[in-house]
Amino acid sequence: MNNEQRLEKIAQYSHAHMTQDRTGHGYDHIRRVVAMARKLSAKESADLLVTLASAYLHDVIDDKLVDDPQTALDGLKSFLIEVEVSAQQIEQILFIIQNMSFAHTLDNKPVQLPLEGQIVQDSDWLDAIGAIGVTRAVYFGGHHSEKIYDPRIKPRESMTKEEYRNLQNETIINHFYEKLLKIKDKLNTPSAKKIAENRQRFMLDFLTEFQAEWDAKK
Ligand code: ADP
Ligand code: NI
């Protein structure tokens, strides 16, 4: 099996696991993350198999999304062995997908990701901002019965990983101030930072317009 065939199998595995998701982590999200990872890789000298495999698989063992993360992890390991990914590459892929989430960056000691992981993290984060980001935040918030907005609930200035994971009383608009607007300054690669500029402007314009309409000023 060559790497192209391996990636085809990995894409099928990811599709089978993510296609049911209705929280904004569906296969459409995966497809965009993989496409962006490919684009960002063009400017970097990363291992393309590790990068794209991690992009395809980054959400399949997420404890938010699967009932039993240990079983999901065991299943993923056996699958990667089956498609003859090398032991070293499997180790890299698993390290990346277990350490790349936004919540991890709130840790006191965030781990340093290898270049491949930095590219996938950037690709995942770019998909949380801009027009797609606005759509996903509304979709996610609706799914989790969040309020759209409540001026009495103030955005939290900073959060620990545990607080981020157990958000109470969250509103969709506050999510922009607590996470989405902060992503731009956390990105790793120069190409991702460039792409984020326009997406950041779009979100700020959206929030200005939202507030004006909320206050009946427009
Ligand atoms: P990660 O796995 O990178 O930590 P999440 O799974 O928390 O990211 O977020 C995935 C998507 O869901 C993002 O587009 C994010 O903006 C959205 N989202 C996450 N939490 C909330 C929330 N409390 N309200 C609205 N949208 C959210
Ligand atoms: Ni993702």
Side-chain angles (χ1 to χ4, degrees), residues 93-163:
I93 294 165
L94 295 179
F95 179 79
I96 290 168
I97 68 177
Q98 288 175 308
N99 289 288
M100 61 174 266
S101 80
F102 184 82
H104 275 97
T105 68
L106 303 174
D107 258 345
N108 293 334
K109 273 205 246 134
V111 294
Q112 175 73 26
L113 292 174
L115 176 61
E116 291 77 9
Q118 294 182 15
I119 291 172
V120 182
Q121 187 177 57
D122 281 357
S123 308
D124 193 32
W125 286 355
L126 285 173
D127 207 54
I129 63 174
I132 298 274
V134 171
T135 311
R136 290 182 71 216
V138 175
Y139 191 83
F140 182 104
H143 182 86
H144 291 278
S145 309
E146 282 175 8
K147 277 189 176 179
I148 294 173
Y149 179 46
D150 184 339
R152 292 167 307 181
I153 306 175
K154 302 293 174 212
R156 281 149 278 221
E157 291 288 330
S158 68
M159 280 182 278
T160 64
K161 187 172 162 186
E162 283 66 36
E163 283 165 345

